[in-house]
Amino acid sequence: MRAKITYLVTAAVLVFYFVLVGSRGVMLIQAGSLITVTFGVAVLILPVIGLWFLWKNTEFVRKANQLAAELEAEGGLPLDELKRLPSGRIDRDSADEVFARRRAETEASPGDWRCWFRLAVAYHDARDTPRARKAMQRAIALHDGKPVRA
């Protein structure tokens, strides 16, 4: 719940920032000179890119949460079988061991979104966020019946 509140607060602050920047872009365009209009258009592009990025990330999180809920209803969520250090951090060897099992499971059944979801969790536990995100994107695409690239 804390993560959701943090995400919502961050998103609200970003939207406020985008509105503020967008209003400055409009003011520059209204000034009317060639330079201010050029800068105004450039400034307006930034909030558009930011809103697109925020939307894509929000959709990703929403879909990943839907998959987690569906997998939980099926009883297929991966168990937390990781060893932890006294500090609470995940033991690297333990994460590597679980990752190897998840990777083998996914290689045996590459068309199953559930395997890709569990692999994404294993990547995340191994602190490989870019690969975790790609594995989750593949899980979402497979779940939605969309074509996936090799």
Side-chain angles (χ1 to χ4, degrees), residues 74-85:
E74 295 175 358
L77 276 179
L79 299 174
D80 186 4
E81 52 193 335
L82 299 167
K83 296 175 188 157
R84 302 202 183 268
L85 301 172

Side-chain angles (χ1 to χ4, degrees), residues 58-80:
T58 302
E59 281 296 299
F60 173 77
V61 169
R62 187 183 62 78
K63 288 179 179 182
N65 285 336
Q66 285 177 343
L67 263 57
E70 188 174 330
L71 204 53
E72 182 179 30
E74 295 175 358
L77 276 179
L79 299 174
D80 186 4

Side-chain angles (χ1 to χ4, degrees), residues 38 46 61 145:
T38 304
L46 295 175
V61 169

